Amino acid sequence: MKKIKLLLSAIILFLLALSCSKEGKEELIEIVVNEKPTDQPDEEPETEEPLVESSPLPDNPQRTGDALAGYEYLISGNYMSSGVPYDAFLLGTSVNPDNRLNRTGDNANLPYDYTSITAANGARVVAPNCMACHAATINNEFIIGLGSHDANFTVNRASNIALLNSGIRALYGGEESAEWQAYDQFRKSIVAIGPRTITQTRGSNPADKITQVLIAHRDKSTLVWQDTPLVDIPEEVIPSDVPAWWLLKKKNAMFYHAIGRLDFCKSFIGSSLLTLGDATKAAEIDTKMVDVLAYIQSLEAPEYPFLIDSDLSEQGKQLFENNCATCHGTYGDSPTYPNLLVTLKSVGTDPELSNHYTESSPMNDYFMDWFNSGWFGTYRNNLQIKAEGGYIAPPLDGIWATAPYFHNGSVPTLEDVLNSTERPTRWSRSFDNTDYDQLKVGWIYSVEQTKADINTYDTTLKGYGNSGHTFGDQLTNLERSALIEYLKTL
């Protein structure tokens, strides 16, 4: 037993942190009047075309539910169906749970991003929950709904799965045990996604690729697992940042590329594909996701915790309304949000995440068909996947807390967002949640000449680019400071 405990301790942590930008400002149309010599007739003022090409996203009314029930389901519900046997998990992890979620029973003994559930055969197992990607700590404040900015997906989480298998076999008497059977689907999923979802930098999230791998192994109608993938899975991993949950209530489409349309609740079930049994279980989970959506819609952005220069902020508010509000909306007592999908040509940010879904390929064609004509797109309240290209100009509530910025997390501070000439090509940070830059608003970072380790973000890599969104370049330093001061108040 002692050897088994040591074995599990060495490998359980490889399974931690599994899954489930803030960009786009625009200028208003400028009127340019060219003065002519007095001996020539005056010409009519020329009106420039808008610098931002965009289209409004249609409204998608959502189902309603109970926010309190949704919170309980998020932290303790059984939307996962398979996992590591409970006793084995406790033996193999050295994480000291602080029970910050105030959970009871078995869950009181687990890290906040894991939940103990009862599998269909009665075995008690532990699986990751949504907090693994959708909760984070900044300045020592734990915030549910803040995208995880420090998760490490740079390792192959399946690398030690064989050792874990051996430990569980030894603990529970082989593969005929109820515990092994309840663990088996989790094991298969880890083996599938582990080597195919490795990112280049800590903090970057491979959620899109995780989804692609999992659906490649599932029948689109029954959702039953297939050991052999139904489509060739490409090697490349295009990273994304995790958007804040509190923004969702304003949005008409999900995800940075706006491909998630119609029923949002169906999209949430995607997190269950890691361990799901079949469509029957998915239908059961669907009845609970209306409550989860209600909880997410109840979340409000956290307030900026440091001092704000009110006079400078007031100057910044006018700059924002004149230069940014057309895309990002207005804030205060009567907020507005236009829900605009901005073209790649206009925003100029890294195109790879958007292009992946607009360019035909075996994986993309399979992805579209799998969701739109399978269970997710045909069972009751349908999810629709629609790729038009470009990125949403997001709401900016709580933007101070959501660094790094852009859809791929390539820009460390708001000052760098608003001054593209100063953005670092390679930069690193400590991943200490208190290393916060109050002046530039974002993470304290150092400029690097090479990519030395996983803590270095390299914008020359495919999908990691920091180009585009140059709308703040024309501001003076004082105007930029004023605008940043106002953004702290949102």
Side-chain angles (χ1 to χ4, degrees):
M1 176 63 73
K2 185 174 181 180
K3 290 183 178 180
I4 293 171
K5 181 175 180 180
L6 290 174
L7 177 65
L8 290 169
S9 297
I11 59 180
I12 281 286
L13 291 180
F14 277 86
L15 303 176
L16 294 173
L18 301 176
S19 311
C20 303
S21 74
K22 321 299 173 235
E23 83 271 354
K25 287 186 176 62
E26 69 136 350
E27 297 177 351
L28 299 178
I29 300 175
E30 296 179 348
I31 305 300
V32 180
V33 179
N34 294 319
E35 298 211 6
K36 299 295 180 181
T38 55
D39 60 344
Q40 295 183 13
D42 291 338
E43 295 182 1
E44 290 295 321
E46 295 179 3
T47 303
E48 291 185 358
E49 291 298 317
L51 294 182
V52 174
E53 297 175 351
S54 62
S55 57
L57 293 162
D59 187 19
N60 295 305
Q62 301 297 316
R63 290 182 275 168
T64 58
D66 183 323
L68 181 59
Y71 173 72
E72 290 299 323
Y73 191 67
L74 269 175
I75 66 172
S76 301
N78 63 338
Y79 46 92
M80 293 298 182
S81 306
S82 174
V84 178
Y86 183 79
D87 292 333
F89 187 92
L90 293 184
L91 283 172
T93 181
S94 60
V95 176
N96 183 27
D98 56 17
N99 201 18
R100 66 186 66 186
L101 299 178
N102 296 315
R103 298 188 292 185
T104 59
D106 288 344
N107 286 316
N109 302 317
L110 300 177
Y112 71 89
D113 49 350
Y114 276 80
T115 297
S116 179
I117 56 100
T118 301
N121 66 358
R124 197 70 171 160
V125 296
V126 177
N129 63 37
C130 292
M131 301 301 140
C133 289
H134 295 284
T137 300
I138 184 170
N139 296 309
N140 291 328
E141 179 184 1
F142 178 69
I143 303 174
I144 294 177
L146 176 61
S148 175
H149 54 76
D150 57 3
N152 185 5
F153 290 92
T154 65
V155 296
N156 178 357
R157 284 152 291 151
S159 60
N160 280 356
I161 198 73
L163 294 178
L164 180 60
N165 293 345
S166 297
I168 292 175
R169 288 191 193 99
L171 271 178
Y172 301 103
E175 297 184 8
E176 300 304 317
S177 68
E179 287 79 9
W180 176 274
Q181 295 298 320
Y183 158 73
D184 197 35
Q185 181 56 62
F186 179 80
R187 174 189 67 83
K188 290 179 179 180
S189 294
I190 292 298
V191 169
I193 68 175
R196 296 183 177 91
T197 58
I198 300 172
T199 62
Q200 297 296 314
T201 303
R202 183 181 175 188
S204 296
N205 193 289
D208 282 68
K209 187 60 179 293
I210 289 174
T211 302
Q212 292 164 28
V213 174
L214 292 177
I215 70 170
H217 282 272
R218 291 188 179 275
D219 179 87
K220 68 178 182 180
S221 298
T222 66
L223 306 184
V224 172
W225 182 267
Q226 314 293 312
D227 287 337
T228 301
L230 301 172
V231 64
D232 289 336
I233 303 170
E235 292 297 321
E236 67 180 13
V237 178
I238 305 301
S240 64
D241 189 47
V242 183
W245 263 351
W246 56 78
L247 302 178
L248 186 60
K249 60 176 168 284
K250 288 187 173 184
K251 298 166 80 172
N252 291 345
M254 297 186 71
F255 314 119
Y256 291 108
H257 35 35
I259 65 173
R261 311 290 179 91
L262 300 184
D263 189 69
F264 291 175
C265 298
K266 274 287 186 60
S267 178
F268 298 161
I269 302 175
S271 63
S272 302
L273 292 174
L274 182 73
T275 63
L276 192 69
D278 56 26
T280 300
K281 179 63 176 178
E284 174 191 319
I285 296 170
D286 181 62
T287 65
K288 303 291 187 179
M289 287 303 175
V290 293
D291 297 329
V292 172
L293 178 60
Y295 171 69
I296 291 174
Q297 291 176 329
S298 74
L299 294 174
E300 297 294 337
E303 293 186 3
Y304 186 73
F306 307 110
L307 293 177
I308 296 175
D309 184 327
S310 57
D311 291 336
L312 190 60
S313 171
E314 193 60 30
Q315 298 175 41
K317 179 180 180 181
Q318 190 62 51
L319 283 165
F320 181 89
E321 292 178 350
N322 290 341
N323 295 279
C324 314
T326 301
C327 278
H328 291 289
T330 60
Y331 301 81
D333 295 334
S334 301
T336 63
Y337 177 62
N339 266 287
L340 296 180
L341 181 63
V342 181
T343 64
L344 292 177
K345 176 183 176 182
S346 289
V347 71
T349 49
D350 191 290
E352 297 299 336
L353 186 65
S354 174
N355 287 345
H356 180 82
Y357 294 94
T358 56
E359 296 175 354
S360 178
S361 69
M363 184 72 244
N364 186 34
D365 297 345
Y366 174 88
F367 185 96
M368 295 295 179
D369 176 72
W370 195 94
F371 276 107
N372 291 331
S373 69
W375 183 87
F376 278 80
T378 60
Y379 177 79
R380 295 183 179 173
N381 300 282
N382 301 340
L383 171 68
Q384 181 189 53
I385 301 298
K386 185 175 182 179
E388 298 179 280
Y391 298 111
I392 290 178
L396 302 181
D397 308 77
I399 190 172
W400 70 269
T402 59
Y405 300 104
F406 287 7
H407 68 273
N408 56 5
S410 59
V411 181
T413 71
L414 281 180
E415 182 170 299
D416 295 312
V417 168
L418 295 174
N419 187 357
S420 68
T421 63
E422 295 298 319
R423 293 174 195 162
T425 300
R426 296 176 186 86
W427 55 276
S428 63
R429 57 187 173 111
S430 69
F431 287 92
D432 180 332
N433 79 79
T434 64
D435 278 352
Y436 187 83
D437 192 325
Q438 297 180 43
L439 182 63
K440 300 178 73 172
V441 182
W443 296 113
I444 294 173
Y445 66 90
S446 59
V447 176
E448 308 292 348
Q449 298 303 311
T450 61
K451 182 171 172 52
D453 54 32
I454 64 171
N455 292 342
T456 304
Y457 194 106
D458 186 349
T459 65
T460 68
L461 299 173
K462 183 177 181 180
Y464 291 77
N466 66 353
S467 63
H469 194 280
T470 59
F471 309 120
D473 288 1
Q474 84 286 354
L475 299 174
T476 66
N477 289 335
L478 179 59
E479 289 173 330
R480 194 172 292 114
S481 296
L483 181 54
I484 290 173
E485 202 69 13
Y486 174 67
L487 291 173
K488 295 176 182 178
T489 72
L490 302 186

Short mmCIF file of all heavy atoms in Angstrom, two decimals, residues 376-401:
data_model
loop_
_atom_site.label_atom_id
_atom_site.label_comp_id
_atom_site.label_asym_id
_atom_site.label_seq_id
_atom_site.Cartn_x
_atom_site.Cartn_y
_atom_site.Cartn_z
N PHE A 376 -26.45 17.69 -30.56
CA PHE A 376 -26.39 19.07 -30.07
C PHE A 376 -27.22 20.02 -30.93
O PHE A 376 -27.78 20.99 -30.42
CB PHE A 376 -24.94 19.56 -30.03
CG PHE A 376 -24.20 19.13 -28.79
CD1 PHE A 376 -23.67 17.86 -28.70
CD2 PHE A 376 -24.03 20.00 -27.73
CE1 PHE A 376 -22.97 17.46 -27.57
CE2 PHE A 376 -23.35 19.61 -26.59
CZ PHE A 376 -22.82 18.33 -26.50
N GLY A 377 -27.31 19.74 -32.23
CA GLY A 377 -28.02 20.65 -33.13
C GLY A 377 -29.44 20.24 -33.44
O GLY A 377 -30.15 20.99 -34.12
N THR A 378 -29.89 19.08 -32.95
CA THR A 378 -31.23 18.60 -33.32
C THR A 378 -32.09 18.23 -32.12
O THR A 378 -33.31 18.09 -32.27
CB THR A 378 -31.13 17.37 -34.24
OG1 THR A 378 -30.43 16.32 -33.56
CG2 THR A 378 -30.39 17.72 -35.52
N TYR A 379 -31.49 18.06 -30.94
CA TYR A 379 -32.27 17.65 -29.77
C TYR A 379 -32.84 18.86 -29.07
O TYR A 379 -32.12 19.68 -28.49
CB TYR A 379 -31.41 16.83 -28.81
CG TYR A 379 -32.12 16.43 -27.54
CD1 TYR A 379 -33.01 15.36 -27.53
CD2 TYR A 379 -31.91 17.13 -26.35
CE1 TYR A 379 -33.67 14.99 -26.37
CE2 TYR A 379 -32.56 16.77 -25.18
CZ TYR A 379 -33.44 15.70 -25.19
OH TYR A 379 -34.10 15.34 -24.04
N ARG A 380 -34.16 19.03 -29.16
CA ARG A 380 -34.88 20.11 -28.48
C ARG A 380 -34.25 21.47 -28.76
O ARG A 380 -34.17 21.89 -29.89
CB ARG A 380 -34.98 19.81 -26.99
CG ARG A 380 -35.83 18.57 -26.69
CD ARG A 380 -35.99 18.33 -25.21
NE ARG A 380 -36.81 17.15 -24.99
CZ ARG A 380 -37.03 16.61 -23.80
NH1 ARG A 380 -36.51 17.16 -22.71
NH2 ARG A 380 -37.78 15.54 -23.68
N ASN A 381 -33.82 22.17 -27.71
CA ASN A 381 -33.26 23.51 -27.89
C ASN A 381 -31.89 23.39 -28.54
O ASN A 381 -30.92 22.98 -27.91
CB ASN A 381 -33.15 24.22 -26.54
CG ASN A 381 -34.49 24.36 -25.87
OD1 ASN A 381 -35.28 25.23 -26.22
ND2 ASN A 381 -34.78 23.48 -24.92
N ASN A 382 -31.81 23.79 -29.80
CA ASN A 382 -30.63 23.49 -30.60
C ASN A 382 -29.48 24.47 -30.38
O ASN A 382 -29.68 25.68 -30.26
CB ASN A 382 -30.98 23.48 -32.08
CG ASN A 382 -32.06 22.47 -32.42
OD1 ASN A 382 -32.30 21.54 -31.67
ND2 ASN A 382 -32.71 22.67 -33.55
N LEU A 383 -28.28 23.93 -30.39
CA LEU A 383 -27.07 24.73 -30.52
C LEU A 383 -26.75 24.82 -32.01
O LEU A 383 -26.93 23.85 -32.75
CB LEU A 383 -25.91 24.07 -29.79
CG LEU A 383 -24.52 24.66 -30.00
CD1 LEU A 383 -24.42 26.05 -29.39
CD2 LEU A 383 -23.43 23.75 -29.42
N GLN A 384 -26.31 25.98 -32.45
CA GLN A 384 -25.88 26.14 -33.84
C GLN A 384 -24.45 26.65 -33.86
O GLN A 384 -24.10 27.58 -33.13
CB GLN A 384 -26.79 27.14 -34.58
CG GLN A 384 -26.40 27.34 -36.04
CD GLN A 384 -27.16 28.47 -36.69
OE1 GLN A 384 -27.17 29.60 -36.19
NE2 GLN A 384 -27.82 28.19 -37.79
N ILE A 385 -23.64 26.03 -34.70
CA ILE A 385 -22.28 26.49 -34.91
C ILE A 385 -22.24 27.20 -36.27
O ILE A 385 -22.53 26.60 -37.30
CB ILE A 385 -21.27 25.33 -34.89
CG1 ILE A 385 -21.33 24.60 -33.55
CG2 ILE A 385 -19.86 25.85 -35.16
CD1 ILE A 385 -20.96 25.45 -32.35
N LYS A 386 -21.91 28.47 -36.23
CA LYS A 386 -21.91 29.28 -37.45
C LYS A 386 -20.65 30.14 -37.46
O LYS A 386 -20.46 31.00 -36.59
CB LYS A 386 -23.16 30.15 -37.53
CG LYS A 386 -23.29 30.93 -38.82
CD LYS A 386 -24.61 31.68 -38.87
CE LYS A 386 -24.79 32.42 -40.19
NZ LYS A 386 -26.09 33.14 -40.25
N ALA A 387 -19.81 29.93 -38.45
CA ALA A 387 -18.55 30.67 -38.54
C ALA A 387 -18.61 31.68 -39.68
O ALA A 387 -18.71 31.30 -40.84
CB ALA A 387 -17.39 29.71 -38.76
N GLU A 388 -18.55 32.97 -39.33
CA GLU A 388 -18.60 34.03 -40.34
C GLU A 388 -17.26 34.75 -40.47
O GLU A 388 -17.11 35.62 -41.31
CB GLU A 388 -19.69 35.03 -39.97
CG GLU A 388 -21.09 34.43 -39.95
CD GLU A 388 -22.14 35.43 -39.55
OE1 GLU A 388 -22.28 35.70 -38.34
OE2 GLU A 388 -22.81 35.97 -40.45
N GLY A 389 -16.31 34.41 -39.61
CA GLY A 389 -15.01 35.05 -39.67
C GLY A 389 -14.98 36.32 -38.84
O GLY A 389 -15.97 37.03 -38.71
N GLY A 390 -13.83 36.60 -38.26
CA GLY A 390 -13.68 37.78 -37.42
C GLY A 390 -13.83 37.46 -35.95
O GLY A 390 -13.95 36.29 -35.55
N TYR A 391 -13.85 38.51 -35.13
CA TYR A 391 -13.94 38.35 -33.68
C TYR A 391 -14.96 39.34 -33.11
O TYR A 391 -15.14 40.44 -33.61
CB TYR A 391 -12.58 38.59 -33.02
CG TYR A 391 -11.51 37.62 -33.44
CD1 TYR A 391 -10.43 38.03 -34.23
CD2 TYR A 391 -11.59 36.28 -33.08
CE1 TYR A 391 -9.45 37.14 -34.61
CE2 TYR A 391 -10.61 35.37 -33.47
CZ TYR A 391 -9.54 35.81 -34.24
OH TYR A 391 -8.57 34.92 -34.64
N ILE A 392 -15.60 38.92 -32.03
CA ILE A 392 -16.51 39.81 -31.32
C ILE A 392 -15.72 40.95 -30.69
O ILE A 392 -14.66 40.73 -30.11
CB ILE A 392 -17.26 39.04 -30.22
CG1 ILE A 392 -18.27 38.05 -30.82
CG2 ILE A 392 -17.98 40.00 -29.28
CD1 ILE A 392 -18.99 37.23 -29.77
N ALA A 393 -16.25 42.16 -30.79
CA ALA A 393 -15.75 43.27 -29.97
C ALA A 393 -16.43 43.12 -28.62
O ALA A 393 -17.61 43.41 -28.49
CB ALA A 393 -16.09 44.61 -30.60
N PRO A 394 -15.73 42.63 -27.59
CA PRO A 394 -16.40 42.19 -26.37
C PRO A 394 -16.84 43.34 -25.48
O PRO A 394 -16.32 44.45 -25.58
CB PRO A 394 -15.32 41.36 -25.68
CG PRO A 394 -14.06 42.02 -26.10
CD PRO A 394 -14.27 42.44 -27.54
N PRO A 395 -17.78 43.08 -24.58
CA PRO A 395 -18.02 44.04 -23.49
C PRO A 395 -16.75 44.15 -22.66
O PRO A 395 -15.93 43.23 -22.62
CB PRO A 395 -19.16 43.38 -22.69
CG PRO A 395 -19.68 42.28 -23.54
CD PRO A 395 -18.58 41.86 -24.44
N LEU A 396 -16.59 45.26 -21.98
CA LEU A 396 -15.35 45.51 -21.25
C LEU A 396 -15.54 45.57 -19.73
O LEU A 396 -14.65 46.03 -19.01
CB LEU A 396 -14.71 46.81 -21.75
CG LEU A 396 -14.40 46.86 -23.24
CD1 LEU A 396 -13.74 48.19 -23.60
CD2 LEU A 396 -13.51 45.69 -23.67
N ASP A 397 -16.68 45.09 -19.25
CA ASP A 397 -16.90 45.05 -17.80
C ASP A 397 -15.78 44.27 -17.12
O ASP A 397 -15.46 43.15 -17.51
CB ASP A 397 -18.24 44.38 -17.49
CG ASP A 397 -19.39 44.97 -18.28
OD1 ASP A 397 -19.50 44.65 -19.49
OD2 ASP A 397 -20.17 45.74 -17.70
N GLY A 398 -15.19 44.86 -16.08
CA GLY A 398 -14.14 44.18 -15.33
C GLY A 398 -12.89 43.93 -16.12
O GLY A 398 -12.10 43.03 -15.79
N ILE A 399 -12.63 44.75 -17.14
CA ILE A 399 -11.48 44.51 -18.01
C ILE A 399 -10.16 44.58 -17.24
O ILE A 399 -9.17 43.94 -17.62
CB ILE A 399 -11.48 45.49 -19.20
CG1 ILE A 399 -10.43 45.07 -20.24
CG2 ILE A 399 -11.29 46.92 -18.73
CD1 ILE A 399 -10.49 45.86 -21.52
N TRP A 400 -10.13 45.32 -16.14
CA TRP A 400 -8.90 45.43 -15.35
C TRP A 400 -8.41 44.06 -14.87
O TRP A 400 -7.20 43.86 -14.71
CB TRP A 400 -9.12 46.34 -14.14
CG TRP A 400 -10.02 45.72 -13.09
CD1 TRP A 400 -11.37 45.84 -12.99
CD2 TRP A 400 -9.61 44.88 -12.01
NE1 TRP A 400 -11.85 45.13 -11.92
CE2 TRP A 400 -10.79 44.52 -11.30
CE3 TRP A 400 -8.38 44.38 -11.57
CZ2 TRP A 400 -10.76 43.70 -10.16
CZ3 TRP A 400 -8.36 43.54 -10.46
CH2 TRP A 400 -9.54 43.22 -9.77
N ALA A 401 -9.34 43.12 -14.66
CA ALA A 401 -9.00 41.82 -14.08
C ALA A 401 -8.69 40.75 -15.10
O ALA A 401 -8.26 39.66 -14.74
CB ALA A 401 -10.15 41.34 -13.18
#
